[in-house]
Amino acid sequence: IDEKSPYYSRVCFFYFVQYHLHLQLKQSSEYARQHGVAIKGDLPIGVARYSADTWTNPQYFRMDWSAGAPAFMGSAQNWDFPLYDWDVMAQDDYTWWRKRLSHMAQYFQAFRIDHVLGFFRIWGIPVHNWTGLLGHLEPCKPVKLQELKSIGISDIDRLTKPYIRWWMLEKAFGPRAREIADRFMIETSTNVYEFKPELNTVAAIGEELPVSCLPIEDAHQARENEILRNELWALIDNVIAVRSEHNPKEEFYLTCHMNHTSSYHHFGPQETKDRLAGLWHNFYWERQNWRKEGEARLGALQDAAKMMVCAEDLGAVPPEAYEVLDELGILGLRIQRWPQHGSFGDPQQYSYLTIATPSCHDCSTVRGWWKEDRGRCQEFYRTFYGSNPPDSCEEWVSRKVIESHLASSSMWSVIPIQDIVDMEPSLRSDNPRTDAINRPGETDGCWKYRTPYTLEVLLDSSEFNHSLGDMMHHYRRGETY
C-alpha cells in the first residue's frame, strides 16, 4: 500500500498484528505436532462483503449478490457474503483457493469445509432482498416459459408480481391501510395494488423505514417502523416465481416458500394449482444436479495442500453430493440428532469416511438439548439405552453418549469440550444454554462462548483425566493405525 494513502497506518497495524498471530499459531501448531496432536482448521463458506479478499481480488466475487439458505424449513437466511464467481475462478485453476489452502497448511493437519453444499450450489440472493426469500439456487436449471404454458399458465405477471389485494392491506394495517397504500403503492385496478417503482424492494422499504440507525430517543418510532416494514416485506416476498436475470422473458425460478404464500393459496383453478405444485417439486428436488460443479471445486481444494479434508454436509443434501464426497475420500459429519434418515443416527452404523459427534457449534450440547426437547431426548434414550429415561441429562448419561460415539465405526470421533466436561460433576456449567456456541437464526449471545477453565484446572482434574484416557484407550481412539 502507498505510504501516502490515508489508510497506510491502519493497514500496517493489522499487518503487524496478523504477522505475530501467524508466528504464535505456527509455533503452537508445531508444538502440538511434535506431541502427536493434530489441529483441525476451519474453512468458512464465504468471506465478509467488506474484507481484504474482496478488496484485493474483486474479480472473484459477485458483489451484487448475497449467499444464504432457502426457506424449506423456517425462515430463509441471508448471510450477506458475496457469491463467488466460480467461472472466473476456474479460468486460473482456482488460484485464490489454492493459495488460501496452502497458507492454512502451515498450521493445520486437517480442515473442515463449512456448508460444503456451497461448493455444489448456493442459495443466491439479490443484494436488495434482505429477507433472502426471493433468491434461487446457483447454478440452477430454470423453469421455461413453455413449461408454464403447458400446465395452463399464461399470465406470468400473476406469478412474478407480489399478490396484493385491498383486504390484505386491511388485515395487515387495520385503520392505517389507506395511509400505507397511498404512501407505498399504486392501485392498478379495483382493489389490486403493486408497490411504487422506487419502493418495490426489501432494501428500499428498509431505507424508507429505518430502525437500527435511529437514535435511542426514537425507540418508539424504531419499533413502529420495524412492525410496519416487516408487513411490507412480507407483501414484497408474496410471489410464486422470480424472473431469471439472464433471460427474464423466458426463464423463471420458483420461490422456495411458494407453498406458504397467499399468492399460491389464492391461485387457481385447482387443477392448474396442483400442476404448479408438481412443477415446484420437480424444480427443487428432481431436475437439478450439481455433480460436475462439486467434483471440480472440491477436487481443486483437495489438491491444494496435504491436509485431511472434512465436510459439514448437513441439511437438504442432494444424493450426488454424498457420492462426490465419498469418491474424493472427504469425511462427512454425522450428528446423532440430525440423521440423514429416521429419527436418530446410530454411531455403530456410520460409514467409515465420517466424523461422529454428539453436537457441534451450530446446536446445543447434549445436556442443553435435554432441556430444550425433553420428549425427543427421552425417545432417544429409549431407542439406544432402554426404558426409564432420566428427567435430565445426568453425568452418567453424558458418559453413555460419549462412549457410543467413541465406539462408532467412523474414522474420527470429535467431541466438543462442553460435552466432555459434562461427564464430570465438578466441571459442569450452571446453565447448559450458555454452553452453546451458535444458535442459527438468533443473534443474542451467539459466538461468545469461552471455555471457563484454565489448562491448569483441567490438568488438576486427575481422576477425570485418567477416566477419559481409559475411555480413549478402550475404544482405540488414541492409537495411530
Side-chain angles (χ1 to χ4, degrees):
I1 186 171
D2 193 327
E3 291 186 22
K4 296 179 181 178
S5 168
Y7 307 108
Y8 179 76
S9 61
R10 185 164 175 79
V11 169
C12 286
F13 169 75
F14 286 106
Y15 275 170
F16 174 83
V17 172
Q18 290 183 351
Y19 174 68
H20 284 282
L21 287 173
H22 154 74
L23 293 179
Q24 291 172 16
L25 182 56
K26 193 170 183 180
Q27 184 181 18
S28 299
S29 175
E30 180 61 22
Y31 179 86
R33 188 189 65 79
Q34 290 174 359
H35 290 77
V37 175
I39 300 180
K40 182 163 164 271
D42 199 73
L43 187 69
I45 183 56
V47 301
R49 182 172 295 279
Y50 304 109
S51 64
D53 291 290
T54 59
W55 179 34
T56 56
N57 296 283
Q59 71 276 18
Y60 293 138
F61 303 96
R62 298 168 60 186
M63 299 297 288
D64 53 346
W65 287 82
S66 291
F72 298 132
M73 298 175 287
S75 300
Q77 297 178 29
N78 185 339
W79 304 328
D80 199 31
F81 304 144
L83 296 187
Y84 297 119
D85 194 326
W86 287 107
D87 291 338
V88 173
M89 288 179 162
Q91 290 171 11
D92 65 7
D93 197 25
Y94 306 99
T95 295
W96 181 81
W97 285 104
R98 292 178 184 279
K99 287 181 177 179
R100 202 178 187 197
L101 270 295
S102 178
H103 189 82
M104 286 178 64
Q106 297 178 86
Y107 321 117
F108 309 122
Q109 289 72 51
F111 69 96
R112 182 198 76 125
I113 303 174
D114 171 48
H115 192 67
V116 75
L117 279 181
F119 289 84
F120 292 82
R121 53 83 172 149
I122 197 75
W123 185 247
I125 307 162
V127 72
H128 57 73
N129 186 241
W130 299 351
T131 57
L133 287 169
L134 300 187
H136 63 79
L137 296 171
E138 176 65 36
C140 183
K141 296 175 183 176
V143 171
K144 304 285 188 177
L145 178 61
Q146 189 55 44
E147 290 181 86
L148 295 173
K149 289 182 176 180
S150 71
I151 62 172
I153 299 174
S154 56
D155 183 0
I156 303 303
D157 283 347
R158 173 64 181 84
L159 301 184
T160 59
K161 288 188 174 183
Y163 179 79
I164 307 173
R165 301 296 183 265
W166 175 249
W167 65 266
M168 297 166 65
L169 300 180
E170 285 188 309
K171 181 179 179 181
F173 305 110
R176 296 189 64 190
R178 175 50 57 195
E179 171 202 345
I180 299 302
D182 291 343
R183 180 179 175 185
F184 293 94
M185 300 175 190
I186 301 168
E187 188 173 12
T188 56
S189 60
T190 304
N191 294 329
V192 178
Y193 292 81
E194 65 180 48
F195 282 92
K196 293 178 179 179
E198 67 273 19
L199 294 169
N200 66 357
T201 67
V202 168
I205 295 296
E207 291 162 4
E208 181 73 10
L209 298 168
V211 174
S212 59
C213 63
L214 292 180
I216 187 117
E217 57 267 24
D218 290 338
H220 176 75
Q221 183 63 56
R223 178 58 182 157
E224 185 176 300
N225 284 359
E226 184 176 24
I227 294 171
L228 181 56
R229 77 180 191 179
N230 285 345
E231 294 289 353
L232 292 169
W233 285 352
L235 291 172
I236 285 176
D237 290 334
N238 188 31
V239 298
I240 290 173
V242 294
R243 294 179 183 270
S244 161
E245 63 274 16
H246 305 295
N247 191 354
K249 292 183 178 180
E250 298 286 334
E251 297 178 347
F252 309 90
Y253 307 116
L254 298 178
T255 57
C256 59
H257 64 305
M258 181 193 84
N259 295 305
H260 304 290
T261 64
S262 59
S263 180
Y264 174 73
H265 293 159
H266 291 88
F267 192 81
Q270 186 63 44
E271 183 179 359
T272 304
K273 182 178 177 180
D274 292 342
R275 290 174 179 168
L276 181 60
L279 184 60
W280 184 93
H281 185 273
N282 171 271
F283 176 69
Y284 279 103
W285 306 111
E286 294 174 359
R287 76 171 58 189
Q288 313 296 341
N289 188 294
W290 297 282
R291 167 179 278 275
K292 179 181 69 174
E293 288 80 10
E295 285 178 335
R297 298 164 187 176
L298 291 174
L301 262 65
Q302 195 173 42
D303 292 342
K306 294 181 178 180
M307 293 184 285
M308 175 70 80
V309 188
C310 313
E312 183 265 288
D313 55 348
L314 307 173
V317 181
E320 66 269 19
Y322 287 127
E323 294 167 4
V324 170
L325 294 178
D326 203 44
E327 291 166 10
L328 293 177
I330 294 175
L331 306 190
L333 184 63
R334 299 295 174 265
I335 298 178
Q336 195 164 23
R337 74 187 88 163
W338 293 341
Q340 295 177 14
H341 309 288
S343 298
F344 306 102
D346 183 353
Q348 305 301 314
Q349 301 300 319
Y350 293 160
S351 61
Y352 180 64
L353 292 178
T354 57
I355 297 173
T357 181
S359 66
C360 70
H361 66 284
D362 274 339
C363 66
S364 55
T365 62
V366 173
R367 186 160 67 104
W369 178 45
W370 217 281
K371 281 186 172 290
E372 292 171 358
D373 195 348
R374 184 173 298 174
R376 189 156 183 259
C377 287
Q378 290 184 340
E379 178 191 354
F380 159 75
Y381 186 91
R382 292 188 184 97
T383 300
F384 292 98
Y385 307 121
S387 57
N388 301 319
D391 290 334
S392 63
C393 183
E394 300 177 21
E395 294 86 354
W396 59 270
V397 177
S398 293
R399 181 173 291 273
K400 278 181 174 290
V401 173
I402 299 300
E403 287 181 335
S404 71
H405 283 76
L406 294 177
S408 75
S409 48
S410 299
M411 179 189 293
W412 285 357
S413 179
V414 178
I415 314 294
I417 191 170
Q418 300 95 312
D419 287 318
I420 290 175
V421 298
D422 274 344
M423 295 189 294
E424 170 55 42
S426 64
L427 296 176
R428 281 191 154 199
S429 63
D430 293 332
N431 180 7
R433 180 172 173 80
T434 62
D435 292 338
I437 295 174
N438 183 42
R439 291 181 290 276
E442 298 183 29
T443 54
D444 186 37
C446 294
W447 299 107
K448 294 182 179 179
Y449 176 80
R450 299 293 183 271
T451 305
Y453 316 106
T454 63
L455 289 175
E456 289 75 15
V457 168
L458 293 175
L459 288 171
D460 285 343
S461 303
S462 56
E463 185 176 340
F464 174 64
N465 291 332
H466 285 135
S467 174
L468 187 60
D470 289 343
M471 288 171 61
M472 299 297 172
H473 178 75
H474 178 74
Y475 295 108
R476 302 182 66 193
R477 287 294 176 183
E479 299 181 17
T480 302
Y481 54 92

